[in-house]
Amino acid sequence: METPAAGQPGASAAFFDLDKTLIARSSTLAFVPSFYRHGLISKVQAVRGAFAQVIFRLGGADHQQMERIKAQLTSLCSGWPADRVSEIVTAHLVETIAPIVYSEAHGLLRDHRAAGRDVFIVSTAGQEVVGPIGAMLGASGVIATQMRLADGRYTGELEFYAYGEEKARKMRELAAERGYALADCYAYSDSVSDLPMLEAVGHPHAVNPDRELRKVAQARGWPVLAFAERALVACETQDQ
């Protein structure tokens, strides 16, 4: 998904975390009901996913919780056909994601594009989920976790885990490829685990930050933004 700004002198970008930054919930867990209805997971697994979603919304997920979620999801997805997952995500994308997009975040996406910046979603969630969401919201591209495939099915192993420093590393690679001046770039996240991502740019922003990130943002004078959970009337795919 290229944009005219990419690679031009003075080009810059805005990087957005996804879960609890652009949207109010975990993007992966939000699709649990759809995966259940289409037979990919059992009723017990669906209930556990719903429980995990509640915990995520109320209290966030620390590093240990994220590691447990990663292990559970990779194990759960082992053997799933990747094309079937993509079909389910695409079919239920608007009904699942559009109502939980923060209106303020959607406005920021549009503002950055209007200013000539490329916009990227940088998420620990899987490529099959993040890619369609990025397209729906009009992003220039995404950086996301990639699961290993064998004969079109997930093996339960990861090719790339978009978490912590790995997010920042991919952002730096992307900036080098496209000629972005990172000092002129923006980044948005809710979690202290994304501190490397925020430190990689000249304009970091904390969005609905967890306690640790709020402390860092206040100490460093970073803007702290408060987004409310409001349903989007329309997303990019509906606007056009």
Side-chain angles (χ1 to χ4, degrees):
M1 290 181 285
E2 299 285 346
T3 70
Q8 293 181 1
S12 63
F15 300 91
F16 288 82
D17 175 48
L18 179 59
D19 298 350
K20 301 189 78 173
T21 300
L22 281 176
I23 63 176
R25 301 165 61 185
S26 160
S27 53
T28 303
L29 294 177
F31 282 99
V32 163
S34 298
F35 293 151
Y36 167 65
R37 289 197 299 271
H38 289 274
L40 288 182
I41 60 176
S42 68
K43 185 175 182 179
V44 171
Q45 291 166 332
V47 170
R48 287 176 179 169
F51 178 75
Q53 181 71 268
V54 171
I55 298 301
F56 185 87
R57 292 182 68 187
L58 293 180
D62 60 22
H63 176 73
Q64 290 183 339
Q65 289 172 320
M66 287 297 297
E67 288 299 305
R68 286 198 296 271
I69 290 173
K70 178 187 74 170
Q72 291 167 356
L73 287 176
T74 52
S75 175
L76 178 66
C77 296
S78 181
W80 287 7
D83 57 354
R84 183 63 175 145
V85 174
S86 297
E87 288 173 5
I88 294 171
V89 170
T90 301
H92 298 280
L93 181 65
V94 174
E95 68 187 61
T96 300
I97 299 300
I100 60 173
V101 176
Y102 285 122
S103 297
E104 300 92 337
H106 192 239
L108 273 175
L109 289 172
R110 288 182 164 176
D111 289 346
H112 280 298
R113 291 202 303 269
R117 299 185 189 95
D118 291 342
V119 173
F120 293 89
I121 296 177
V122 186
S123 176
T124 304
Q127 176 74 33
E128 291 80 5
V129 171
V130 184
I133 293 175
M136 184 180 74
L137 295 177
S140 307
V142 305
I143 294 171
T145 293
Q146 296 180 2
M147 297 187 67
R148 185 167 297 164
L149 295 173
D151 298 323
R153 294 178 178 270
Y154 299 127
T155 66
E157 300 174 302
L158 299 179
E159 290 283 358
F160 170 69
Y161 187 39
Y163 181 77
E165 176 59 35
E166 287 302 292
K167 284 187 175 183
R169 182 177 66 82
K170 283 291 187 179
M171 288 166 56
R172 288 191 290 267
E173 289 179 0
L174 189 65
E177 291 171 3
R178 299 198 174 198
Y180 302 140
L182 283 173
D184 297 329
C185 290
Y186 294 70
Y188 301 83
S189 179
D190 69 291
S191 174
V192 73
S193 67
D194 282 335
L195 195 56
M197 166 182 169
L198 295 170
E199 291 175 332
V201 302
H203 302 281
H205 293 71
V207 177
N208 295 346
D210 58 29
R211 184 180 304 175
E212 292 81 4
L213 181 57
R214 184 178 294 275
K215 289 179 181 178
V216 172
Q218 290 174 340
R220 301 187 186 183
W222 294 351
V224 176
L225 308 179
F227 293 170
E229 184 176 352
R230 295 170 54 193
L232 266 180
V233 175
C235 291
E236 297 305 306
T237 53
Q238 297 169 295
D239 290 342
Q240 295 172 0

